[in-house]
Each structure stands twice: as C-alpha cells, then as structure tokens.
Amino acid sequence: NAGVTQTPKFQVLKTGQSMTLQCAQDMNHNSMYWYRQDPGMGLRLIYYSASEGTTDKGEVPNGYNVSRLNKREFSLRLESAAPSQTSVYFCASSDLAANEKLFFGSGTQLSVL
Amino acid sequence: DAKTTQPNSMESNEEEPVHLPCNHSTISGTDYIHWYRQLPSQGPEYVIHGLTSNVNNRMASLAIAEDRKSSTLILHRATLRDAAVYYCILRGGGSNYKLTFGKGTLLTVNP
C-alpha cells in the first residue's frame, strides 16, 4: 500500500502563478485534510473534507481552493501564489470515527518567489 | 474546538524514559486523545491514542489522568531516533473533522 501520496515533492513558483497540489490515498478513507507548516511552526489546517462531496474551511483558508475529486483524491489549488504561501504542505487522510488515526503524506515543499 | 497545551521543548538522555505532558482541560467526554510525532523533514506519524484507560503499544505508552484533563506520553527508553516534535491532539465530538495541531513539543535526545 502506498498510503497517502502527494505530488509534486518540490515546487518553485513566481508570484502570481497558479498551481495545484495533488493528494491521493488508497486506504478507502472518508476524510481528507490539507495542512501547511511554516518553519518552526506546527501544522495549520487549510481545508478539510469530511466525506466525498463536502469541503470545509480550516484555520487558514485564504488564498486556497480545494476539490474533493472523488473518494481517493483531494487537491489544493493556489490561484495566484504569494510569497506568504511559501511553506511545506501536508495532506492527510482518515476514517470518520474519533478513534481512527490520521495518515500523512510526505509533504510538498513550495517556494514562491 | 478543544485545545491542548504542551511544553515547547524537552530534553532527554538516550536509553532513559521520557514523559511528555499534555494538558487538555476543556476535553469533552467523547474526545479521544491522539499523539503524533514528526521526525525531521517528514510528515507526522501516528504514535498512540486513548479515551479513558492507559494504553500501550510497541512505540509508547499513554497515561490518561482520571479526570482526563491531562495525559502523558511515555517513551520507555529514548533512542536518538525518537528525537522529533510530538503533538497531542483531541479528536471527537465537534472536533472530529476539524483537527488542529499546536506547535507540539520538540524532544531532543542526547547520546
């Protein structure tokens, strides 16, 4: 099992460019999440999808959009990248119950110049 | 959302036990206590979780206070590979989906 797969692993953008971060999970999980992590900081929730067909804002949604394409895939889009969005982005997935663990991808390191 | 409070950093010596505390005074009756850790340059990984009773697995033990307002992650014999940031989060009830992480505790293990 691959678990949670994120692509790309690294990306450099210029200010104003757009891009989509891809995330896929093969564990048949209902819930998926996007987090960002700035240097020396904890994880901050950008958006989450409790189940297929639903998405909700997290702590820091401004400047991002998401799509829950199907049960497996949850993408994060930056429409007009800004230097403040330079960060490491993690995708995670889980089943719905409170005693279910989260599984994380290996992250995407994004630099916006 | 129920919040957790952890020390910013802790230090331990190799092969000694480590007790990582977490306060969660606003925990609700349906909240599970989860612990994750993040090794350098990696995504977080699950460590352990519990509801009311103490829990053990191959990685660690989780001790939960009787009033559930605090918990302690116990690494019985720290190794250099245990150096990581440890996160304590609550999951359940209203926070079941909107899972928030704080800054965690940076554990340094000295040889």
Side-chain angles (χ1 to χ4, degrees):
Chain A
N1 278 349
V4 179
T5 304
Q6 293 183 234
T7 55
K9 293 191 183 301
F10 302 94
Q11 184 71 49
V12 179
L13 293 177
K14 294 181 180 178
T15 298
Q17 285 185 318
S18 62
M19 79 159 296
T20 300
L21 279 63
Q22 306 287 354
C23 176
Q25 51 92 9
D26 61 4
M27 295 170 282
N28 202 37
H29 286 159
N30 288 293
S31 302
M32 297 186 74
Y33 308 83
W34 275 106
Y35 290 90
R36 63 176 286 175
Q37 186 172 37
D38 300 323
M41 301 289 287
L43 297 156
R44 291 188 292 171
L45 182 64
I46 305 171
Y47 270 94
Y48 64 102
S49 172
S51 59
E52 187 179 356
T54 69
T55 61
D56 285 285
K57 295 178 181 180
E59 303 170 76
V60 288
N62 291 344
Y64 305 95
N65 287 304
V66 290
S67 295
R68 183 73 183 268
L69 304 170
N70 47 56
K71 193 171 186 179
R72 289 187 65 247
E73 298 171 289
F74 189 38
S75 63
L76 178 72
R77 183 161 178 83
L78 287 70
E79 290 291 352
S80 178
S84 61
Q85 295 178 304
T86 293
S87 190
V88 180
Y89 291 84
F90 291 101
C91 177
S93 73
S94 173
D95 256 329
L96 288 171
N99 60 345
E100 294 289 341
K101 62 185 80 168
L102 276 76
F103 293 83
F104 284 83
S106 57
T108 296
Q109 189 164 325
L110 176 67
S111 295
V112 183
L113 306 177
Chain B
D1 295 333
K3 290 188 175 180
T4 62
T5 304
Q6 300 177 252
N8 289 333
S9 62
M10 291 185 66
E11 203 167 323
S12 174
N13 295 320
E14 201 173 8
E15 299 194 3
E16 289 184 355
V18 181
H19 291 233
L20 298 164
C22 181
N23 287 322
H24 28 78
S25 57
T26 59
I27 190 170
S28 74
T30 56
D31 285 342
Y32 279 79
I33 303 157
H34 286 240
W35 283 83
Y36 293 80
R37 73 178 187 180
Q38 187 175 20
L39 302 172
S41 302
Q42 294 189 27
E45 63 176 351
Y46 168 83
V47 178
I48 201 167
H49 75 276
L51 183 62
T52 56
S53 303
N54 295 344
V55 184
N56 300 298
N57 67 21
R58 65 174 181 81
M59 290 180 71
S61 295
L62 176 61
I64 301 172
E66 196 169 335
D67 63 6
R68 302 210 324 126
K69 293 185 177 182
S70 65
S71 62
T72 303
L73 179 70
I74 303 166
L75 307 179
H76 294 286
R77 290 183 64 199
T79 69
L80 297 178
R81 293 176 60 182
D82 290 323
V85 177
Y86 288 78
Y87 298 97
C88 165
I89 69 168
L90 301 180
R91 183 174 192 191
S95 64
N96 196 24
Y97 307 123
K98 195 172 181 178
L99 301 176
T100 57
F101 287 71
K103 293 185 180 180
T105 297
L106 174 62
L107 175 65
T108 301
V109 181
N110 300 313

